[in-house]
Amino acid sequence: MLAIAFYIMAAVTVLSGALVITARNPVHSVLFLILAFFSAAGLFVLMGAEFLAMLLVVVYVGAVAVLFLFVVMMLDVDFVKLRQGFANYLPIGAVVGVLLLTELIMIAIAIADRGAAAGQSPQVYGPEMSNIEAIGRVLYTDYVYLFQASGLVLLVAMIGAIVLTLQHRVHVKRQDIHTQVTRRRKNAVEIVQVKTGEGIKE
């Protein structure tokens, strides 16, 4: 039963991934992406990594994929105009695709030969330790620098997205934090002596 479930989920994952890039409707692409995430989460459950499966469903399906779906549905993007220059970028895309395929084949061969892990015994934890605790120990001890580097990459990507989408409009009032913090009392407060029975003249 485990083998049958594995082959079914693996086939659904591969087919969904292919439909993501071949579907003409971007909404359908996002829906196939969500299906691929769910199938990959099922594969993680079969491997005994239920924590990774939960992260995949909560983070990618619950946040990223839904965000993609809302962005695609809310933005009025003219996809016909975007596809007009597809033939011009086809040679570059083919070269990039061949390079990525070559890298995947090299990685698969390295994993089949155990690559850099050859001659090393895998870390085995006892039954008293859950896989969540085991992942935490490995992540925050052996790979803590790579974990921090990935956080910096995500931070740079977030800042880049904000900078690219930030638009300064001419007739919109904006806060000047530096001016607000550094202003003095004499520049902010004006004391006017008003005589009795008279108002303030502008």
mmCIF file of all heavy atoms in Angstrom, residues 110-144:
data_model
loop_
_atom_site.group_PDB
_atom_site.id
_atom_site.type_symbol
_atom_site.label_atom_id
_atom_site.label_comp_id
_atom_site.label_asym_id
_atom_site.label_seq_id
_atom_site.Cartn_x
_atom_site.Cartn_y
_atom_site.Cartn_z
ATOM 1 N N ALA A 110 25.004 12.471 -8.165
ATOM 2 C CA ALA A 110 25.763 12.632 -6.922
ATOM 3 C C ALA A 110 25.031 11.997 -5.742
ATOM 4 O O ALA A 110 25.638 11.368 -4.870
ATOM 5 C CB ALA A 110 26.021 14.110 -6.651
ATOM 6 N N ILE A 111 23.704 12.148 -5.709
ATOM 7 C CA ILE A 111 22.932 11.542 -4.625
ATOM 8 C C ILE A 111 22.941 10.023 -4.755
ATOM 9 O O ILE A 111 23.043 9.294 -3.752
ATOM 10 C CB ILE A 111 21.493 12.079 -4.633
ATOM 11 C CG1 ILE A 111 21.489 13.569 -4.268
ATOM 12 C CG2 ILE A 111 20.607 11.304 -3.666
ATOM 13 C CD1 ILE A 111 20.134 14.219 -4.348
ATOM 14 N N ALA A 112 22.888 9.515 -5.998
ATOM 15 C CA ALA A 112 22.931 8.066 -6.188
ATOM 16 C C ALA A 112 24.259 7.478 -5.726
ATOM 17 O O ALA A 112 24.305 6.375 -5.177
ATOM 18 C CB ALA A 112 22.685 7.722 -7.659
ATOM 19 N N ASP A 113 25.340 8.225 -5.934
ATOM 20 C CA ASP A 113 26.665 7.782 -5.474
ATOM 21 C C ASP A 113 26.972 8.251 -4.061
ATOM 22 O O ASP A 113 28.106 8.156 -3.607
ATOM 23 C CB ASP A 113 27.749 8.295 -6.428
ATOM 24 C CG ASP A 113 27.602 7.691 -7.819
ATOM 25 O OD1 ASP A 113 27.011 6.600 -7.915
ATOM 26 O OD2 ASP A 113 28.065 8.319 -8.785
ATOM 27 N N ARG A 114 25.973 8.844 -3.389
ATOM 28 C CA ARG A 114 26.084 9.410 -2.038
ATOM 29 C C ARG A 114 26.957 10.645 -2.017
ATOM 30 O O ARG A 114 27.126 11.241 -0.970
ATOM 31 C CB ARG A 114 26.614 8.376 -1.041
ATOM 32 C CG ARG A 114 25.693 7.188 -0.840
ATOM 33 C CD ARG A 114 26.078 6.396 0.348
ATOM 34 N NE ARG A 114 26.002 7.185 1.553
ATOM 35 C CZ ARG A 114 26.419 6.773 2.746
ATOM 36 N NH1 ARG A 114 26.954 5.570 2.864
ATOM 37 N NH2 ARG A 114 26.317 7.540 3.800
ATOM 38 N N GLY A 115 27.545 11.064 -3.115
ATOM 39 C CA GLY A 115 28.221 12.350 -3.239
ATOM 40 C C GLY A 115 29.176 12.649 -2.101
ATOM 41 O O GLY A 115 30.042 11.846 -1.749
ATOM 42 N N ALA A 116 28.995 13.833 -1.512
ATOM 43 C CA ALA A 116 29.880 14.258 -0.428
ATOM 44 C C ALA A 116 29.638 13.460 0.845
ATOM 45 O O ALA A 116 30.448 13.482 1.760
ATOM 46 C CB ALA A 116 29.690 15.754 -0.146
ATOM 47 N N ALA A 117 28.522 12.746 0.919
ATOM 48 C CA ALA A 117 28.215 11.968 2.116
ATOM 49 C C ALA A 117 28.799 10.569 2.072
ATOM 50 O O ALA A 117 28.522 9.761 2.952
ATOM 51 C CB ALA A 117 26.693 11.882 2.299
ATOM 52 N N ALA A 118 29.594 10.269 1.058
ATOM 53 C CA ALA A 118 30.172 8.932 0.951
ATOM 54 C C ALA A 118 31.121 8.687 2.120
ATOM 55 O O ALA A 118 31.951 9.529 2.464
ATOM 56 C CB ALA A 118 30.924 8.784 -0.370
ATOM 57 N N GLY A 119 31.013 7.524 2.716
ATOM 58 C CA GLY A 119 31.871 7.182 3.849
ATOM 59 C C GLY A 119 31.404 7.738 5.168
ATOM 60 O O GLY A 119 32.055 7.515 6.192
ATOM 61 N N GLN A 120 30.300 8.467 5.201
ATOM 62 C CA GLN A 120 29.787 9.040 6.431
ATOM 63 C C GLN A 120 28.488 8.341 6.805
ATOM 64 O O GLN A 120 27.659 8.054 5.956
ATOM 65 C CB GLN A 120 29.532 10.540 6.278
ATOM 66 C CG GLN A 120 30.786 11.345 5.943
ATOM 67 C CD GLN A 120 30.483 12.819 5.805
ATOM 68 O OE1 GLN A 120 29.347 13.226 6.039
ATOM 69 N NE2 GLN A 120 31.468 13.598 5.439
ATOM 70 N N SER A 121 28.349 8.064 8.071
ATOM 71 C CA SER A 121 27.129 7.427 8.546
ATOM 72 C C SER A 121 26.088 8.492 8.853
ATOM 73 O O SER A 121 26.421 9.538 9.422
ATOM 74 C CB SER A 121 27.418 6.615 9.809
ATOM 75 O OG SER A 121 27.949 7.461 10.822
ATOM 76 N N PRO A 122 24.845 8.298 8.473
ATOM 77 C CA PRO A 122 23.810 9.306 8.751
ATOM 78 C C PRO A 122 23.540 9.429 10.245
ATOM 79 O O PRO A 122 23.769 8.498 11.019
ATOM 80 C CB PRO A 122 22.583 8.749 8.000
ATOM 81 C CG PRO A 122 22.835 7.281 7.915
ATOM 82 C CD PRO A 122 24.317 7.114 7.787
ATOM 83 N N GLN A 123 23.063 10.583 10.645
ATOM 84 C CA GLN A 123 22.731 10.808 12.043
ATOM 85 C C GLN A 123 21.430 10.087 12.371
ATOM 86 O O GLN A 123 20.406 10.301 11.730
ATOM 87 C CB GLN A 123 22.595 12.307 12.322
ATOM 88 C CG GLN A 123 23.882 13.072 12.121
ATOM 89 C CD GLN A 123 23.724 14.533 12.478
ATOM 90 O OE1 GLN A 123 22.652 14.968 12.858
ATOM 91 N NE2 GLN A 123 24.800 15.287 12.369
ATOM 92 N N VAL A 124 21.503 9.234 13.375
ATOM 93 C CA VAL A 124 20.352 8.446 13.784
ATOM 94 C C VAL A 124 19.982 8.856 15.198
ATOM 95 O O VAL A 124 20.846 8.894 16.089
ATOM 96 C CB VAL A 124 20.648 6.934 13.722
ATOM 97 C CG1 VAL A 124 19.431 6.135 14.167
ATOM 98 C CG2 VAL A 124 21.078 6.539 12.323
ATOM 99 N N TYR A 125 18.725 9.188 15.403
ATOM 100 C CA TYR A 125 18.233 9.562 16.712
ATOM 101 C C TYR A 125 17.312 8.475 17.229
ATOM 102 O O TYR A 125 16.692 7.730 16.471
ATOM 103 C CB TYR A 125 17.482 10.898 16.655
ATOM 104 C CG TYR A 125 18.355 12.057 16.244
ATOM 105 C CD1 TYR A 125 18.389 12.490 14.919
ATOM 106 C CD2 TYR A 125 19.156 12.720 17.169
ATOM 107 C CE1 TYR A 125 19.197 13.541 14.540
ATOM 108 C CE2 TYR A 125 19.964 13.779 16.791
ATOM 109 C CZ TYR A 125 19.978 14.186 15.480
ATOM 110 O OH TYR A 125 20.777 15.235 15.100
ATOM 111 N N GLY A 126 17.209 8.401 18.527
ATOM 112 C CA GLY A 126 16.405 7.379 19.161
ATOM 113 C C GLY A 126 14.921 7.637 19.023
ATOM 114 O O GLY A 126 14.492 8.716 18.603
ATOM 115 N N PRO A 127 14.114 6.640 19.391
ATOM 116 C CA PRO A 127 12.652 6.814 19.274
ATOM 117 C C PRO A 127 12.088 7.829 20.252
ATOM 118 O O PRO A 127 10.958 8.278 20.074
ATOM 119 C CB PRO A 127 12.120 5.410 19.560
ATOM 120 C CG PRO A 127 13.192 4.751 20.375
ATOM 121 C CD PRO A 127 14.488 5.313 19.873
ATOM 122 N N GLU A 128 12.871 8.180 21.273
ATOM 123 C CA GLU A 128 12.364 9.153 22.238
ATOM 124 C C GLU A 128 12.395 10.581 21.705
ATOM 125 O O GLU A 128 11.812 11.491 22.293
ATOM 126 C CB GLU A 128 13.178 9.085 23.535
ATOM 127 C CG GLU A 128 14.614 9.608 23.424
ATOM 128 C CD GLU A 128 15.571 8.576 22.823
ATOM 129 O OE1 GLU A 128 15.108 7.437 22.564
ATOM 130 O OE2 GLU A 128 16.750 8.907 22.634
ATOM 131 N N MET A 129 13.073 10.802 20.570
ATOM 132 C CA MET A 129 13.176 12.135 19.987
ATOM 133 C C MET A 129 12.296 12.218 18.748
ATOM 134 O O MET A 129 12.383 11.380 17.857
ATOM 135 C CB MET A 129 14.632 12.460 19.622
ATOM 136 C CG MET A 129 14.827 13.861 19.059
ATOM 137 S SD MET A 129 16.543 14.180 18.597
ATOM 138 C CE MET A 129 17.342 14.001 20.180
ATOM 139 N N SER A 130 11.458 13.226 18.692
ATOM 140 C CA SER A 130 10.596 13.414 17.529
ATOM 141 C C SER A 130 11.404 13.978 16.362
ATOM 142 O O SER A 130 12.497 14.518 16.547
ATOM 143 C CB SER A 130 9.440 14.357 17.879
ATOM 144 O OG SER A 130 9.938 15.635 18.227
ATOM 145 N N ASN A 131 10.833 13.859 15.161
ATOM 146 C CA ASN A 131 11.551 14.365 13.990
ATOM 147 C C ASN A 131 11.635 15.893 14.004
ATOM 148 O O ASN A 131 12.541 16.476 13.409
ATOM 149 C CB ASN A 131 10.890 13.870 12.705
ATOM 150 C CG ASN A 131 9.462 14.327 12.581
ATOM 151 O OD1 ASN A 131 8.898 14.892 13.516
ATOM 152 N ND2 ASN A 131 8.854 14.086 11.428
ATOM 153 N N ILE A 132 10.688 16.560 14.684
ATOM 154 C CA ILE A 132 10.761 18.022 14.792
ATOM 155 C C ILE A 132 11.995 18.432 15.589
ATOM 156 O O ILE A 132 12.741 19.345 15.197
ATOM 157 C CB ILE A 132 9.483 18.570 15.450
ATOM 158 C CG1 ILE A 132 8.251 18.210 14.606
ATOM 159 C CG2 ILE A 132 9.569 20.075 15.633
ATOM 160 C CD1 ILE A 132 6.948 18.615 15.238
ATOM 161 N N GLU A 133 12.229 17.752 16.705
ATOM 162 C CA GLU A 133 13.409 18.063 17.512
ATOM 163 C C GLU A 133 14.692 17.702 16.769
ATOM 164 O O GLU A 133 15.693 18.431 16.841
ATOM 165 C CB GLU A 133 13.340 17.311 18.837
ATOM 166 C CG GLU A 133 14.466 17.665 19.804
ATOM 167 C CD GLU A 133 14.331 16.948 21.135
ATOM 168 O OE1 GLU A 133 13.326 16.240 21.321
ATOM 169 O OE2 GLU A 133 15.229 17.108 21.992
ATOM 170 N N ALA A 134 14.666 16.598 16.028
ATOM 171 C CA ALA A 134 15.855 16.204 15.264
ATOM 172 C C ALA A 134 16.170 17.223 14.183
ATOM 173 O O ALA A 134 17.335 17.607 13.978
ATOM 174 C CB ALA A 134 15.637 14.817 14.648
ATOM 175 N N ILE A 135 15.146 17.696 13.466
ATOM 176 C CA ILE A 135 15.368 18.724 12.439
ATOM 177 C C ILE A 135 15.892 20.011 13.064
ATOM 178 O O ILE A 135 16.797 20.659 12.534
ATOM 179 C CB ILE A 135 14.053 18.975 11.668
ATOM 180 C CG1 ILE A 135 13.685 17.760 10.828
ATOM 181 C CG2 ILE A 135 14.179 20.200 10.764
ATOM 182 C CD1 ILE A 135 12.325 17.857 10.178
ATOM 183 N N GLY A 136 15.337 20.387 14.217
ATOM 184 C CA GLY A 136 15.805 21.591 14.892
ATOM 185 C C GLY A 136 17.261 21.501 15.313
ATOM 186 O O GLY A 136 18.026 22.464 15.169
ATOM 187 N N ARG A 137 17.671 20.339 15.822
ATOM 188 C CA ARG A 137 19.069 20.187 16.236
ATOM 189 C C ARG A 137 20.019 20.289 15.057
ATOM 190 O O ARG A 137 21.064 20.932 15.135
ATOM 191 C CB ARG A 137 19.254 18.840 16.947
ATOM 192 C CG ARG A 137 18.664 18.792 18.353
ATOM 193 C CD ARG A 137 19.137 17.569 19.095
ATOM 194 N NE ARG A 137 18.635 17.562 20.465
ATOM 195 C CZ ARG A 137 18.997 16.653 21.371
ATOM 196 N NH1 ARG A 137 19.853 15.691 21.026
ATOM 197 N NH2 ARG A 137 18.506 16.708 22.587
ATOM 198 N N VAL A 138 19.661 19.624 13.959
ATOM 199 C CA VAL A 138 20.536 19.679 12.782
ATOM 200 C C VAL A 138 20.537 21.070 12.164
ATOM 201 O O VAL A 138 21.581 21.592 11.762
ATOM 202 C CB VAL A 138 20.086 18.616 11.749
ATOM 203 C CG1 VAL A 138 20.890 18.749 10.468
ATOM 204 C CG2 VAL A 138 20.249 17.224 12.334
ATOM 205 N N LEU A 139 19.356 21.695 12.098
ATOM 206 C CA LEU A 139 19.232 22.996 11.430
ATOM 207 C C LEU A 139 19.963 24.092 12.186
ATOM 208 O O LEU A 139 20.618 24.948 11.571
ATOM 209 C CB LEU A 139 17.745 23.351 11.281
ATOM 210 C CG LEU A 139 17.409 24.619 10.508
ATOM 211 C CD1 LEU A 139 17.885 24.500 9.068
ATOM 212 C CD2 LEU A 139 15.913 24.890 10.547
ATOM 213 N N TYR A 140 19.886 24.082 13.510
ATOM 214 C CA TYR A 140 20.467 25.161 14.299
ATOM 215 C C TYR A 140 21.848 24.839 14.853
ATOM 216 O O TYR A 140 22.370 25.591 15.681
ATOM 217 C CB TYR A 140 19.533 25.528 15.450
ATOM 218 C CG TYR A 140 18.256 26.172 14.989
ATOM 219 C CD1 TYR A 140 17.058 25.475 15.002
ATOM 220 C CD2 TYR A 140 18.241 27.483 14.513
ATOM 221 C CE1 TYR A 140 15.881 26.058 14.563
ATOM 222 C CE2 TYR A 140 17.076 28.074 14.071
ATOM 223 C CZ TYR A 140 15.901 27.348 14.099
ATOM 224 O OH TYR A 140 14.738 27.921 13.667
ATOM 225 N N THR A 141 22.435 23.723 14.419
ATOM 226 C CA THR A 141 23.817 23.414 14.806
ATOM 227 C C THR A 141 24.718 23.266 13.582
ATOM 228 O O THR A 141 25.639 24.053 13.377
ATOM 229 C CB THR A 141 23.852 22.124 15.652
ATOM 230 O OG1 THR A 141 23.188 21.074 14.944
ATOM 231 C CG2 THR A 141 23.179 22.337 16.995
ATOM 232 N N ASP A 142 24.424 22.268 12.748
ATOM 233 C CA ASP A 142 25.290 22.013 11.587
ATOM 234 C C ASP A 142 25.068 23.004 10.455
ATOM 235 O O ASP A 142 26.001 23.343 9.728
ATOM 236 C CB ASP A 142 25.055 20.589 11.067
ATOM 237 C CG ASP A 142 25.400 19.541 12.117
ATOM 238 O OD1 ASP A 142 26.193 19.852 13.021
ATOM 239 O OD2 ASP A 142 24.849 18.422 12.043
ATOM 240 N N TYR A 143 23.818 23.472 10.292
ATOM 241 C CA TYR A 143 23.486 24.329 9.153
ATOM 242 C C TYR A 143 22.996 25.704 9.590
ATOM 243 O O TYR A 143 22.187 26.321 8.908
ATOM 244 C CB TYR A 143 22.414 23.657 8.282
ATOM 245 C CG TYR A 143 22.828 22.321 7.738
ATOM 246 C CD1 TYR A 143 22.395 21.146 8.345
ATOM 247 C CD2 TYR A 143 23.662 22.220 6.627
ATOM 248 C CE1 TYR A 143 22.780 19.903 7.850
ATOM 249 C CE2 TYR A 143 24.049 20.990 6.129
ATOM 250 C CZ TYR A 143 23.601 19.835 6.744
ATOM 251 O OH TYR A 143 23.990 18.621 6.250
ATOM 252 N N VAL A 144 23.471 26.177 10.733
ATOM 253 C CA VAL A 144 22.971 27.451 11.246
ATOM 254 C C VAL A 144 23.402 28.613 10.355
ATOM 255 O O VAL A 144 22.629 29.557 10.132
ATOM 256 C CB VAL A 144 23.444 27.659 12.702
ATOM 257 C CG1 VAL A 144 24.967 27.691 12.788
ATOM 258 C CG2 VAL A 144 22.823 28.915 13.295
#
